[in-house]
Amino acid sequence: MPDNLPRRQVLRTAGALGLGAAAVGALQTGADAVGTPDKVAAMDAHHGHGRLVIRKDPFGTTPDGQAVDVYTFSNGRITISMLTWGATIQRVETPDRRGHTKNISLGFDNLPDYAALSPYFGATVGRYGNRIAKGQFSIDGNHYQIPVNNGENALHGGTIGFDKKVWKAKVVETSSAVGVAFTYVSPDGEMGFPGELTSRVTYTLDRHDNLRIDYHVTVAGKPTVQNLTNHVYFNLAGEGSGTIEGHVLQLNAAKYTPVDAGLIPTGELAPVAGTPFDFTRPTPIGARIRDDHPQLVIGRGYDHNFVLGKPDSHGMRFAARFWEPEHGRTVTVHTTQPGAQFYSGNFLDGTIQGIGHKSYRQGDAFAFETQHFPDSPNQPNFPSTVLRPGETFTSTTIYTFGTK
Ligand code: GLA
């Protein structure tokens, strides 16, 4: 589907017409609904209290002939597009404080660019998000080797991670939320990892502008390690609009995990106090990014795992809040995960043009990947990422979109 207006118009129309679940289901077939402008206006007047709607369209075909679809779901205020390729968030359209809606997520408008160029834009990454030193680890005395793809280390699951797989998709509709459950079964031995891993990652948007991600992971046959996350990149002024150094960040972490030259944690949990890593009070991302701190030199900016504060009684913790002062958009992150990689887009270098046909340069977006800590399989003092047959791993991360 072309990257312009008809899709949103159809979505809004579906809501304005008050279509029930069955009719919205019909939209999932890709059949376009046509509405009158006054109905669309009526929907606009609801200011986000419109119906939850979803539709499916073809997005492309992989070289080996697999069809890739794009699902677009909306609550009338926030509209999210997701691809079955990599269970990828392609677009996130949110209003600013004046009600002007823009796409704030980095991505592409075509499948070949995702396959050839994407530094994990919006992707669900796995089997192991972030790095495993030298791609090696042992479980119960058995040694495993993941193909390395980041210097001498394995990053985001090896050379062909879950971000490059076509996931099965199933529409999820409840009275309060709409979205897609993506499933991928990774065979025993894929990318060197032991055990057949079944991952179900459910993305839902509710009426309160929460994008909720629920991970449900099991393994069969052999114990394994797993660390799935999502790698959405945001620029809250709009993708392709320039640097995020002026975004203000509050990050609920008193400690972070310093890294060696290959971005592998040293094992230390270092206090952020008195360093450029202290975002416990809201601070512009760019305020200290050029400070003479060895960790900022290694990372070319922020590319570090933060040890998040304690969870509440439901297991959720406030992780971070990003705020772009000029247009006023905010994104607030809560998670059950113990850590998050805060990445200030350091490796974007102007060579990639995204969905809005603008080049992405260093610092033009940030990622905040909720996760277990990098290289946990080799770090006995970090929370374990081992998953055994019969066990189920679950985690939840919620991105809440707002304005201030
Ligand atoms: C993660 C890593 C970064 C970088 C990005 C993708 O955030 O920590 O070093 O590799 O993924 O470009």
Side-chain angles (χ1 to χ4, degrees):
M1 171 153 205
D3 178 41
N4 48 27
L5 273 183
R7 176 177 50 203
R8 281 192 55 228
Q9 212 150 7
V10 168
L11 279 166
R12 290 178 169 207
T13 302
L17 292 172
L19 299 179
V24 171
L27 284 180
Q28 292 155 21
T29 64
D32 280 359
V34 181
T36 57
D38 55 328
K39 300 270 179 160
V40 175
M43 176 69 176
D44 281 340
H46 277 82
H47 289 303
H49 299 103
R51 292 246 175 188
L52 302 167
V53 291
I54 184 162
R55 59 173 290 154
K56 169 183 163 185
D57 294 283
F59 187 70
T61 308
T62 64
D64 63 351
Q66 298 181 76
V68 172
D69 295 319
V70 53
Y71 285 83
T72 300
F73 43 100
S74 178
N75 64 5
R77 186 176 147 83
I78 311 285
T79 302
I80 295 172
S81 296
M82 291 199 67
L83 311 177
T84 53
W85 172 264
T88 293
I89 297 173
Q90 185 211 13
R91 302 169 66 94
V92 178
E93 295 180 16
T94 77
D96 67 9
R97 69 161 83 81
R98 290 185 192 84
H100 297 149
T101 292
K102 267 191 188 166
N103 173 28
I104 59 169
S105 153
L106 273 57
F108 299 108
D109 61 6
N110 66 89
L111 187 58
D113 279 357
Y114 273 102
L117 303 175
S118 183
Y120 310 95
F121 288 154
T124 301
V125 300
R127 175 177 310 196
Y128 196 95
N130 211 281
R131 293 176 178 79
I132 297 176
K134 300 189 168 66
Q136 297 177 0
F137 60 93
S138 297
I139 306 174
D140 302 342
N142 296 310
H143 186 75
Y144 300 103
Q145 174 72 57
I146 313 309
V148 301
N149 57 339
N150 188 248
E152 61 176 8
N153 302 316
L155 175 67
H156 297 328
T159 45
I160 307 176
F162 291 5
D163 59 294
K164 297 177 186 68
K165 300 292 179 181
V166 180
W167 294 55
K168 284 207 165 64
K170 193 165 169 278
V171 168
V172 175
E173 285 177 288
T174 69
S175 56
S176 58
V178 65
V180 182
F182 293 96
T183 307
Y184 177 67
V185 180
S186 172
D188 176 22
E190 185 177 58
M191 286 290 108
F193 288 101
E196 180 189 84
L197 195 81
T198 300
S199 306
R200 188 178 75 227
V201 188
T202 307
Y203 289 77
T204 50
L205 175 68
D206 71 12
R207 296 181 197 280
H208 305 289
D209 302 343
N210 298 304
L211 173 64
R212 176 180 171 126
I213 313 177
D214 291 294
Y215 298 83
H216 180 282
V217 187
T218 55
V219 69
K222 293 174 193 149
T224 192
V225 293
Q226 61 81 37
N227 190 24
L228 274 72
T229 187
N230 181 283
H231 206 308
V232 64
Y233 289 66
F234 288 123
N235 182 322
L236 300 183
E239 70 74 40
S241 70
T243 181
I244 50 88
E245 286 191 21
H247 286 39
V248 174
L249 169 60
Q250 182 173 16
L251 212 174
N252 178 20
K255 293 185 174 159
Y256 75 111
T257 52
V259 289
D260 68 14
L263 296 178
I264 297 293
T266 60
E268 189 195 352
L269 305 185
V272 298
T275 77
F277 292 83
D278 188 351
F279 285 96
T280 52
R281 270 179 287 212
T283 309
I285 291 171
R288 300 158 302 180
I289 202 167
R290 291 173 184 78
D291 280 13
D292 180 15
H293 189 288
Q295 287 293 316
L296 289 174
V297 175
I298 289 175
R300 302 187 184 191
Y302 298 100
D303 192 356
H304 293 79
N305 171 67
F306 285 75
V307 181
L308 299 175
K310 294 237 168 341
D312 65 16
S313 56
H314 305 288
M316 289 298 274
R317 39 170 76 75
F318 165 65
R321 187 170 200 221
F322 295 84
W323 175 49
E324 196 279 302
E326 197 185 326
H327 301 84
R329 288 189 189 84
T330 59
V331 58
T332 307
V333 189
H334 287 83
T335 188
T336 59
Q337 288 275 36
Q341 187 83 6
F342 169 48
Y343 171 58
S344 52
N346 314 321
F347 298 111
L348 299 173
D349 62 2
T351 55
I352 291 176
Q353 287 79 46
I355 192 164
H357 307 287
K358 288 279 167 56
S359 293
Y360 296 143
R361 298 173 64 83
Q362 189 177 47
D364 279 359
F366 69 87
F368 192 77
E369 306 146 63
T370 56
Q371 61 181 8
H372 272 56
F373 304 169
D375 196 36
S376 293
N378 297 304
Q379 305 267 356
N381 297 327
F382 289 178
S384 174
T385 52
V386 173
L387 183 68
R388 295 181 181 276
E391 297 175 347
T392 300
F393 173 84
T394 60
S395 75
T396 299
T397 293
I398 300 174
Y399 292 97
T400 306
F401 303 103
T403 56
K404 181 182 136 181

